[in-house]
Amino acid sequence: MTPESPVQLLPASRRGLLLGVRGWSAVIAAVAVIAIVVPLLNLVVPAGHPLHLGDWGVALVAKIMCYAICALAMDLIWGYTGILSLGHGLYFALGGYAMGMYLMRQIGRDGNYRSELPDFMVFLDWKALPWTWSGSASFVFQMILVVAVPGVVSAVFGWFAFRSRIKGVYFSIITQALTFAGMLLFFRNETGFGGNNGFTDFKRILGAPIAAPSTRVLLFVITGLTLVGFYLLARAVVNSKFGRVLQAIRDAETRVMFTGYDPLKYKLSIWVLSAVMCGIAGALYVPQVGIINPSEMSPSSSMAPRAGSRRPSPNSGCTSSARCSSR
């Protein structure tokens, strides 16, 4: 057996959030473009000017940024932990539905049937809101659900799956089956989530017209800053000792167990974090796209973020937990 090469410590610029001069310059430039340049090009520059950025362009870039958040989440679990999920569309949709419920309540009597109930409930001859809609008129309560529902669902599923040591293609198939089951459940009118049509025709958010250019730009800025924040968080995670253990689990989980680490808590933690990230992305996606329906839970939607994520080669991270603990 050949001895292992000496452990190389990470340079200071790669530890935690220390991005170095170039990295922080790129982050500051991105924030400036998101928070200053785009609002000016959309709201201040006249529509006929060559530099004007139309509402369609703002909405398109915002939608892409929502998917980029999902790609970051996939990179954490697949690229750095070796867990391939084909079901994260479920968590994206759960966050979107939580936001959509609030937006549907904000329609009020401006709907087609002039009722306090959402139009689809009036059409189905429902007389009152179901219990699942309790608190849906509160923005704060629904934002808590945006985080809590994907977090709880992913924690319960992850606990049983990782505790049973389900891995590889078997795990991927189970995640795909889970999101497909969720899609079929939300397709049913009896669940009270709009059936196959879902939620649409939103009017306002926090009292502001949702179609107003200023509202669109504000949602764009919030989405962009959220993406930057999650990027910094993801970088901090993967460059920490926790992240190096994740990479060791990806490369040799059995060796990690033999050296005294419990892979369950590491895998479960990163799994829940990635699900919450997708839920927040879904909540940002819905008011900007204007619709949420069960098709967002389809297996094809769940597989789309994989194209934006990457899986580093095993040589790019730790290959043993002994090295991770010594760094």
Side-chain angles (χ1 to χ4, degrees):
M1 297 179 61
T2 59
E4 296 187 20
S5 59
V7 174
Q8 299 293 326
L9 293 178
L10 289 173
S13 60
R14 290 187 57 194
R15 295 176 190 165
L17 288 177
L18 300 180
L19 303 177
V21 175
R22 282 177 146 185
W24 280 115
S25 298
V27 169
I28 293 172
V31 171
V33 170
I34 292 168
I36 300 175
V37 176
V38 170
L40 288 177
L41 294 180
N42 179 257
L43 299 176
V44 178
V45 177
H49 197 278
L51 295 179
H52 175 74
L53 180 61
D55 294 341
W56 180 85
V58 171
L60 177 62
V61 176
K63 179 179 178 180
I64 293 172
M65 290 193 296
C66 291
Y67 287 138
I69 295 174
C70 294
L72 277 176
M74 288 295 298
D75 203 16
L76 286 175
I77 59 169
W78 186 32
Y80 286 93
T81 317
I83 303 172
L84 177 56
S85 170
L86 301 180
H88 263 51
L90 173 64
Y91 308 125
F92 181 86
L94 288 175
Y97 267 95
M99 171 62 83
M101 291 168 68
Y102 167 77
L103 296 176
M104 291 297 288
R105 293 298 304 276
Q106 287 291 292
I107 296 175
R109 293 186 175 273
D110 293 337
N112 295 326
Y113 295 101
R114 307 298 177 186
S115 171
E116 291 292 340
L117 295 177
D119 283 347
F120 74 89
M121 291 187 182
V122 179
F123 179 79
L124 295 173
D125 198 28
W126 290 30
K127 303 303 181 183
L129 291 169
W131 67 269
T132 51
W133 286 69
S134 302
S136 57
S138 169
F139 178 80
V140 174
F141 181 77
Q142 290 304 119
M143 293 309 99
I144 293 174
L145 291 184
V146 165
V147 175
V149 174
V152 170
V153 173
S154 62
V156 172
F157 170 79
W159 168 261
F160 287 103
F162 298 138
R163 187 170 178 268
S164 301
R165 298 184 183 178
I166 302 174
K167 303 177 185 177
V169 66
Y170 305 104
F171 181 86
S172 301
I173 292 173
I174 292 176
T175 60
Q176 190 176 46
L178 179 66
T179 190
F180 190 75
M183 182 183 68
L184 295 180
L185 177 64
F186 275 70
F187 263 127
R188 299 186 63 85
N189 289 325
E190 295 87 348
T191 57
F193 296 112
N196 64 319
N197 294 320
F199 302 151
T200 188
D201 196 29
F202 307 131
K203 305 294 185 185
R204 60 186 67 87
I205 179 171
L206 292 174
I210 202 167
S214 57
T215 305
R216 294 285 187 182
V217 169
L218 180 59
L219 290 170
F220 174 92
V221 172
I222 294 173
T223 303
L225 295 180
T226 302
L227 173 60
V228 172
F230 276 138
Y231 167 74
L232 295 175
L233 174 62
R235 187 174 178 87
V237 169
V238 300
N239 285 338
S240 65
K241 179 180 177 181
F242 178 86
R244 292 191 287 276
V245 174
L246 293 179
Q247 294 171 63
I249 291 173
R250 176 198 65 194
D251 298 337
E253 183 173 346
T254 302
R255 293 179 67 184
V256 172
M257 295 174 61
F258 287 161
T259 51
Y261 288 89
D262 180 12
L264 173 61
K265 64 180 181 181
Y266 288 93
K267 295 167 71 173
L268 184 60
S269 298
I270 201 66
W271 177 261
V272 173
L273 175 61
S274 68
V276 170
M277 289 172 63
C278 285
I280 294 173
L284 293 169
Y285 175 89
V286 170
Q288 299 179 92
V289 176
I291 188 172
I292 179 69
N293 57 43
S295 65
E296 297 296 341
M297 298 185 189
S298 65
S300 59
S301 296
S302 296
M303 289 186 281
R306 284 193 309 153
S309 62
R310 65 182 180 89
R311 182 169 185 181
S313 66
N315 293 330
S316 65
C318 298
T319 55
S320 74
S321 56
R323 291 187 181 186
C324 291
S325 61
S326 61
R327 290 187 179 181

mmCIF file of all heavy atoms in Angstrom, residues 158-190:
data_model
loop_
_atom_site.group_PDB
_atom_site.id
_atom_site.type_symbol
_atom_site.label_atom_id
_atom_site.label_comp_id
_atom_site.label_asym_id
_atom_site.label_seq_id
_atom_site.Cartn_x
_atom_site.Cartn_y
_atom_site.Cartn_z
ATOM 1 N N GLY A 158 -36.345 11.812 4.293
ATOM 2 C CA GLY A 158 -34.914 11.580 4.389
ATOM 3 C C GLY A 158 -34.541 10.700 5.565
ATOM 4 O O GLY A 158 -33.633 9.862 5.461
ATOM 5 N N TRP A 159 -35.221 10.889 6.691
ATOM 6 C CA TRP A 159 -34.906 10.087 7.876
ATOM 7 C C TRP A 159 -35.086 8.601 7.586
ATOM 8 O O TRP A 159 -34.202 7.786 7.869
ATOM 9 C CB TRP A 159 -35.785 10.517 9.042
ATOM 10 C CG TRP A 159 -35.743 9.568 10.219
ATOM 11 C CD1 TRP A 159 -36.639 8.596 10.527
ATOM 12 C CD2 TRP A 159 -34.711 9.489 11.215
ATOM 13 N NE1 TRP A 159 -36.254 7.925 11.654
ATOM 14 C CE2 TRP A 159 -35.074 8.449 12.103
ATOM 15 C CE3 TRP A 159 -33.540 10.199 11.439
ATOM 16 C CZ2 TRP A 159 -34.304 8.101 13.192
ATOM 17 C CZ3 TRP A 159 -32.765 9.847 12.538
ATOM 18 C CH2 TRP A 159 -33.146 8.823 13.396
ATOM 19 N N PHE A 160 -36.232 8.235 7.009
ATOM 20 C CA PHE A 160 -36.491 6.821 6.741
ATOM 21 C C PHE A 160 -35.604 6.286 5.625
ATOM 22 O O PHE A 160 -35.123 5.150 5.693
ATOM 23 C CB PHE A 160 -37.971 6.614 6.390
ATOM 24 C CG PHE A 160 -38.892 6.733 7.564
ATOM 25 C CD1 PHE A 160 -39.658 7.861 7.772
ATOM 26 C CD2 PHE A 160 -38.986 5.702 8.494
ATOM 27 C CE1 PHE A 160 -40.509 7.976 8.863
ATOM 28 C CE2 PHE A 160 -39.832 5.785 9.593
ATOM 29 C CZ PHE A 160 -40.591 6.931 9.777
ATOM 30 N N ALA A 161 -35.370 7.116 4.591
ATOM 31 C CA ALA A 161 -34.563 6.650 3.461
ATOM 32 C C ALA A 161 -33.099 6.471 3.854
ATOM 33 O O ALA A 161 -32.486 5.428 3.576
ATOM 34 C CB ALA A 161 -34.687 7.629 2.299
ATOM 35 N N PHE A 162 -32.511 7.471 4.503
ATOM 36 C CA PHE A 162 -31.097 7.387 4.860
ATOM 37 C C PHE A 162 -30.871 6.396 6.001
ATOM 38 O O PHE A 162 -29.835 5.733 6.056
ATOM 39 C CB PHE A 162 -30.569 8.760 5.245
ATOM 40 C CG PHE A 162 -30.642 9.765 4.120
ATOM 41 C CD1 PHE A 162 -31.050 11.067 4.354
ATOM 42 C CD2 PHE A 162 -30.314 9.391 2.828
ATOM 43 C CE1 PHE A 162 -31.125 11.991 3.320
ATOM 44 C CE2 PHE A 162 -30.380 10.307 1.782
ATOM 45 C CZ PHE A 162 -30.790 11.598 2.032
ATOM 46 N N ARG A 163 -31.840 6.317 6.914
ATOM 47 C CA ARG A 163 -31.716 5.357 8.015
ATOM 48 C C ARG A 163 -31.734 3.925 7.486
ATOM 49 O O ARG A 163 -31.075 3.042 8.043
ATOM 50 C CB ARG A 163 -32.855 5.572 9.008
ATOM 51 C CG ARG A 163 -32.753 4.761 10.291
ATOM 52 C CD ARG A 163 -33.794 5.235 11.290
ATOM 53 N NE ARG A 163 -33.748 4.453 12.512
ATOM 54 C CZ ARG A 163 -34.488 3.368 12.729
ATOM 55 N NH1 ARG A 163 -35.328 2.940 11.790
ATOM 56 N NH2 ARG A 163 -34.401 2.711 13.866
ATOM 57 N N SER A 164 -32.469 3.719 6.393
ATOM 58 C CA SER A 164 -32.536 2.389 5.770
ATOM 59 C C SER A 164 -31.368 2.152 4.818
ATOM 60 O O SER A 164 -31.305 1.098 4.185
ATOM 61 C CB SER A 164 -33.859 2.236 5.008
ATOM 62 O OG SER A 164 -34.962 2.407 5.880
ATOM 63 N N ARG A 165 -30.486 3.149 4.681
ATOM 64 C CA ARG A 165 -29.295 3.064 3.828
ATOM 65 C C ARG A 165 -29.643 2.768 2.376
ATOM 66 O O ARG A 165 -28.979 1.993 1.691
ATOM 67 C CB ARG A 165 -28.322 2.015 4.363
ATOM 68 C CG ARG A 165 -27.803 2.343 5.762
ATOM 69 C CD ARG A 165 -26.775 1.335 6.229
ATOM 70 N NE ARG A 165 -26.345 1.624 7.589
ATOM 71 C CZ ARG A 165 -25.479 0.891 8.284
ATOM 72 N NH1 ARG A 165 -24.947 -0.197 7.722
ATOM 73 N NH2 ARG A 165 -25.128 1.227 9.522
ATOM 74 N N ILE A 166 -30.713 3.400 1.913
ATOM 75 C CA ILE A 166 -31.076 3.298 0.499
ATOM 76 C C ILE A 166 -30.179 4.244 -0.286
ATOM 77 O O ILE A 166 -30.059 5.417 0.045
ATOM 78 C CB ILE A 166 -32.559 3.653 0.286
ATOM 79 C CG1 ILE A 166 -33.443 2.721 1.118
ATOM 80 C CG2 ILE A 166 -32.926 3.582 -1.185
ATOM 81 C CD1 ILE A 166 -34.912 3.090 1.083
ATOM 82 N N LYS A 167 -29.553 3.726 -1.330
ATOM 83 C CA LYS A 167 -28.579 4.522 -2.072
ATOM 84 C C LYS A 167 -28.770 4.329 -3.568
ATOM 85 O O LYS A 167 -29.557 3.495 -4.023
ATOM 86 C CB LYS A 167 -27.146 4.116 -1.693
ATOM 87 C CG LYS A 167 -26.800 4.207 -0.226
ATOM 88 C CD LYS A 167 -25.382 3.704 0.019
ATOM 89 C CE LYS A 167 -25.045 3.679 1.499
ATOM 90 N NZ LYS A 167 -23.680 3.124 1.739
ATOM 91 N N GLY A 168 -28.010 5.123 -4.304
ATOM 92 C CA GLY A 168 -27.894 4.944 -5.740
ATOM 93 C C GLY A 168 -29.196 5.091 -6.492
ATOM 94 O O GLY A 168 -30.052 5.907 -6.166
ATOM 95 N N VAL A 169 -29.349 4.255 -7.509
ATOM 96 C CA VAL A 169 -30.502 4.364 -8.385
ATOM 97 C C VAL A 169 -31.796 4.056 -7.640
ATOM 98 O O VAL A 169 -32.860 4.593 -7.982
ATOM 99 C CB VAL A 169 -30.330 3.424 -9.602
ATOM 100 C CG1 VAL A 169 -30.346 1.968 -9.177
ATOM 101 C CG2 VAL A 169 -31.403 3.688 -10.639
ATOM 102 N N TYR A 170 -31.726 3.217 -6.618
ATOM 103 C CA TYR A 170 -32.930 2.897 -5.844
ATOM 104 C C TYR A 170 -33.458 4.131 -5.127
ATOM 105 O O TYR A 170 -34.670 4.379 -5.093
ATOM 106 C CB TYR A 170 -32.618 1.766 -4.844
ATOM 107 C CG TYR A 170 -32.054 0.535 -5.492
ATOM 108 C CD1 TYR A 170 -30.692 0.238 -5.399
ATOM 109 C CD2 TYR A 170 -32.869 -0.334 -6.204
ATOM 110 C CE1 TYR A 170 -30.164 -0.888 -6.003
ATOM 111 C CE2 TYR A 170 -32.346 -1.468 -6.810
ATOM 112 C CZ TYR A 170 -31.001 -1.730 -6.709
ATOM 113 O OH TYR A 170 -30.480 -2.840 -7.321
ATOM 114 N N PHE A 171 -32.551 4.900 -4.560
ATOM 115 C CA PHE A 171 -32.965 6.143 -3.899
ATOM 116 C C PHE A 171 -33.561 7.105 -4.918
ATOM 117 O O PHE A 171 -34.584 7.746 -4.663
ATOM 118 C CB PHE A 171 -31.768 6.776 -3.192
ATOM 119 C CG PHE A 171 -32.090 8.046 -2.466
ATOM 120 C CD1 PHE A 171 -32.563 8.008 -1.159
ATOM 121 C CD2 PHE A 171 -31.943 9.284 -3.080
ATOM 122 C CE1 PHE A 171 -32.874 9.188 -0.481
ATOM 123 C CE2 PHE A 171 -32.249 10.451 -2.419
ATOM 124 C CZ PHE A 171 -32.717 10.402 -1.118
ATOM 125 N N SER A 172 -32.932 7.230 -6.075
ATOM 126 C CA SER A 172 -33.422 8.151 -7.100
ATOM 127 C C SER A 172 -34.829 7.776 -7.556
ATOM 128 O O SER A 172 -35.686 8.643 -7.745
ATOM 129 C CB SER A 172 -32.463 8.157 -8.295
ATOM 130 O OG SER A 172 -31.164 8.543 -7.901
ATOM 131 N N ILE A 173 -35.063 6.477 -7.726
ATOM 132 C CA ILE A 173 -36.388 6.023 -8.161
ATOM 133 C C ILE A 173 -37.437 6.327 -7.106
ATOM 134 O O ILE A 173 -38.569 6.732 -7.426
ATOM 135 C CB ILE A 173 -36.346 4.515 -8.495
ATOM 136 C CG1 ILE A 173 -35.500 4.276 -9.747
ATOM 137 C CG2 ILE A 173 -37.752 3.964 -8.692
ATOM 138 C CD1 ILE A 173 -35.267 2.818 -10.063
ATOM 139 N N ILE A 174 -37.081 6.161 -5.827
ATOM 140 C CA ILE A 174 -38.044 6.455 -4.755
ATOM 141 C C ILE A 174 -38.389 7.937 -4.731
ATOM 142 O O ILE A 174 -39.550 8.318 -4.547
ATOM 143 C CB ILE A 174 -37.482 5.988 -3.401
ATOM 144 C CG1 ILE A 174 -37.399 4.465 -3.361
ATOM 145 C CG2 ILE A 174 -38.351 6.486 -2.253
ATOM 146 C CD1 ILE A 174 -36.764 3.918 -2.103
ATOM 147 N N THR A 175 -37.386 8.804 -4.918
ATOM 148 C CA THR A 175 -37.677 10.243 -4.942
ATOM 149 C C THR A 175 -38.566 10.598 -6.127
ATOM 150 O O THR A 175 -39.442 11.467 -6.019
ATOM 151 C CB THR A 175 -36.381 11.062 -5.010
ATOM 152 O OG1 THR A 175 -35.647 10.729 -6.201
ATOM 153 C CG2 THR A 175 -35.514 10.801 -3.788
ATOM 154 N N GLN A 176 -38.349 9.938 -7.248
ATOM 155 C CA GLN A 176 -39.198 10.183 -8.412
ATOM 156 C C GLN A 176 -40.626 9.717 -8.152
ATOM 157 O O GLN A 176 -41.599 10.398 -8.523
ATOM 158 C CB GLN A 176 -38.624 9.462 -9.630
ATOM 159 C CG GLN A 176 -39.298 9.832 -10.944
ATOM 160 C CD GLN A 176 -38.629 9.166 -12.121
ATOM 161 O OE1 GLN A 176 -38.333 7.973 -12.083
ATOM 162 N NE2 GLN A 176 -38.383 9.916 -13.179
ATOM 163 N N ALA A 177 -40.760 8.580 -7.492
ATOM 164 C CA ALA A 177 -42.093 8.073 -7.154
ATOM 165 C C ALA A 177 -42.797 9.013 -6.173
ATOM 166 O O ALA A 177 -44.015 9.228 -6.264
ATOM 167 C CB ALA A 177 -41.982 6.675 -6.557
ATOM 168 N N LEU A 178 -42.030 9.599 -5.241
ATOM 169 C CA LEU A 178 -42.621 10.499 -4.255
ATOM 170 C C LEU A 178 -43.200 11.740 -4.929
ATOM 171 O O LEU A 178 -44.330 12.147 -4.628
ATOM 172 C CB LEU A 178 -41.569 10.902 -3.226
ATOM 173 C CG LEU A 178 -42.036 11.876 -2.134
ATOM 174 C CD1 LEU A 178 -43.083 11.212 -1.247
ATOM 175 C CD2 LEU A 178 -40.851 12.348 -1.292
ATOM 176 N N THR A 179 -42.451 12.345 -5.825
ATOM 177 C CA THR A 179 -42.959 13.553 -6.483
ATOM 178 C C THR A 179 -44.115 13.220 -7.416
ATOM 179 O O THR A 179 -45.039 14.021 -7.591
ATOM 180 C CB THR A 179 -41.829 14.273 -7.241
ATOM 181 O OG1 THR A 179 -42.297 15.544 -7.673
ATOM 182 C CG2 THR A 179 -41.362 13.489 -8.448
ATOM 183 N N PHE A 180 -44.099 12.028 -8.020
ATOM 184 C CA PHE A 180 -45.214 11.627 -8.876
ATOM 185 C C PHE A 180 -46.477 11.421 -8.050
ATOM 186 O O PHE A 180 -47.574 11.801 -8.471
ATOM 187 C CB PHE A 180 -44.854 10.341 -9.624
ATOM 188 C CG PHE A 180 -45.835 9.978 -10.708
ATOM 189 C CD1 PHE A 180 -45.853 10.673 -11.898
ATOM 190 C CD2 PHE A 180 -46.742 8.948 -10.527
ATOM 191 C CE1 PHE A 180 -46.758 10.350 -12.907
ATOM 192 C CE2 PHE A 180 -47.648 8.611 -11.517
ATOM 193 C CZ PHE A 180 -47.652 9.314 -12.712
ATOM 194 N N ALA A 181 -46.329 10.833 -6.849
ATOM 195 C CA ALA A 181 -47.472 10.666 -5.957
ATOM 196 C C ALA A 181 -48.025 12.024 -5.530
ATOM 197 O O ALA A 181 -49.242 12.219 -5.457
ATOM 198 C CB ALA A 181 -47.064 9.841 -4.736
ATOM 199 N N GLY A 182 -47.110 12.975 -5.234
ATOM 200 C CA GLY A 182 -47.569 14.320 -4.887
ATOM 201 C C GLY A 182 -48.317 14.977 -6.026
ATOM 202 O O GLY A 182 -49.337 15.658 -5.809
ATOM 203 N N MET A 183 -47.851 14.792 -7.248
ATOM 204 C CA MET A 183 -48.534 15.367 -8.409
ATOM 205 C C MET A 183 -49.940 14.791 -8.552
ATOM 206 O O MET A 183 -50.915 15.533 -8.781
ATOM 207 C CB MET A 183 -47.717 15.096 -9.666
ATOM 208 C CG MET A 183 -48.308 15.699 -10.928
ATOM 209 S SD MET A 183 -47.352 15.296 -12.414
ATOM 210 C CE MET A 183 -47.661 13.520 -12.539
ATOM 211 N N LEU A 184 -50.071 13.482 -8.410
ATOM 212 C CA LEU A 184 -51.395 12.867 -8.512
ATOM 213 C C LEU A 184 -52.322 13.350 -7.404
ATOM 214 O O LEU A 184 -53.527 13.552 -7.627
ATOM 215 C CB LEU A 184 -51.265 11.342 -8.458
ATOM 216 C CG LEU A 184 -50.524 10.680 -9.635
ATOM 217 C CD1 LEU A 184 -50.470 9.175 -9.431
ATOM 218 C CD2 LEU A 184 -51.204 11.016 -10.948
ATOM 219 N N LEU A 185 -51.777 13.552 -6.206
ATOM 220 C CA LEU A 185 -52.590 14.032 -5.093
ATOM 221 C C LEU A 185 -53.105 15.439 -5.361
ATOM 222 O O LEU A 185 -54.293 15.732 -5.153
ATOM 223 C CB LEU A 185 -51.762 14.016 -3.803
ATOM 224 C CG LEU A 185 -52.449 14.558 -2.547
ATOM 225 C CD1 LEU A 185 -53.639 13.685 -2.168
ATOM 226 C CD2 LEU A 185 -51.471 14.652 -1.387
ATOM 227 N N PHE A 186 -52.251 16.315 -5.851
ATOM 228 C CA PHE A 186 -52.656 17.693 -6.088
ATOM 229 C C PHE A 186 -53.539 17.834 -7.327
ATOM 230 O O PHE A 186 -54.192 18.863 -7.502
ATOM 231 C CB PHE A 186 -51.422 18.597 -6.206
ATOM 232 C CG PHE A 186 -50.899 19.072 -4.897
ATOM 233 C CD1 PHE A 186 -50.272 18.192 -4.022
ATOM 234 C CD2 PHE A 186 -51.030 20.392 -4.507
ATOM 235 C CE1 PHE A 186 -49.791 18.624 -2.798
ATOM 236 C CE2 PHE A 186 -50.561 20.839 -3.281
ATOM 237 C CZ PHE A 186 -49.936 19.940 -2.423
ATOM 238 N N PHE A 187 -53.552 16.840 -8.187
ATOM 239 C CA PHE A 187 -54.453 16.866 -9.337
ATOM 240 C C PHE A 187 -55.920 16.712 -8.926
ATOM 241 O O PHE A 187 -56.821 17.126 -9.648
ATOM 242 C CB PHE A 187 -54.088 15.758 -10.330
ATOM 243 C CG PHE A 187 -53.229 16.222 -11.467
ATOM 244 C CD1 PHE A 187 -52.039 15.567 -11.760
ATOM 245 C CD2 PHE A 187 -53.604 17.291 -12.258
ATOM 246 C CE1 PHE A 187 -51.231 15.987 -12.805
ATOM 247 C CE2 PHE A 187 -52.816 17.718 -13.307
ATOM 248 C CZ PHE A 187 -51.628 17.066 -13.586
ATOM 249 N N ARG A 188 -56.160 16.130 -7.771
ATOM 250 C CA ARG A 188 -57.528 15.855 -7.326
ATOM 251 C C ARG A 188 -58.179 17.138 -6.783
ATOM 252 O O ARG A 188 -57.582 17.857 -5.972
ATOM 253 C CB ARG A 188 -57.534 14.772 -6.252
ATOM 254 C CG ARG A 188 -56.968 13.440 -6.719
ATOM 255 C CD ARG A 188 -57.135 12.377 -5.645
ATOM 256 N NE ARG A 188 -58.539 12.115 -5.350
ATOM 257 C CZ ARG A 188 -59.305 11.272 -6.029
ATOM 258 N NH1 ARG A 188 -58.808 10.611 -7.059
ATOM 259 N NH2 ARG A 188 -60.561 11.079 -5.688
ATOM 260 N N ASN A 189 -59.399 17.377 -7.210
ATOM 261 C CA ASN A 189 -60.117 18.571 -6.752
ATOM 262 C C ASN A 189 -60.426 18.518 -5.262
ATOM 263 O O ASN A 189 -60.546 19.551 -4.602
ATOM 264 C CB ASN A 189 -61.426 18.726 -7.542
ATOM 265 C CG ASN A 189 -61.198 19.143 -8.983
ATOM 266 O OD1 ASN A 189 -60.273 19.905 -9.269
ATOM 267 N ND2 ASN A 189 -62.030 18.653 -9.887
ATOM 268 N N GLU A 190 -60.558 17.287 -4.727
ATOM 269 C CA GLU A 190 -60.939 17.142 -3.322
ATOM 270 C C GLU A 190 -59.882 17.679 -2.362
ATOM 271 O O GLU A 190 -60.181 17.966 -1.204
ATOM 272 C CB GLU A 190 -61.208 15.663 -3.004
ATOM 273 C CG GLU A 190 -62.399 15.075 -3.737
ATOM 274 C CD GLU A 190 -62.011 14.533 -5.107
ATOM 275 O OE1 GLU A 190 -60.882 14.830 -5.561
ATOM 276 O OE2 GLU A 190 -62.841 13.828 -5.708
#
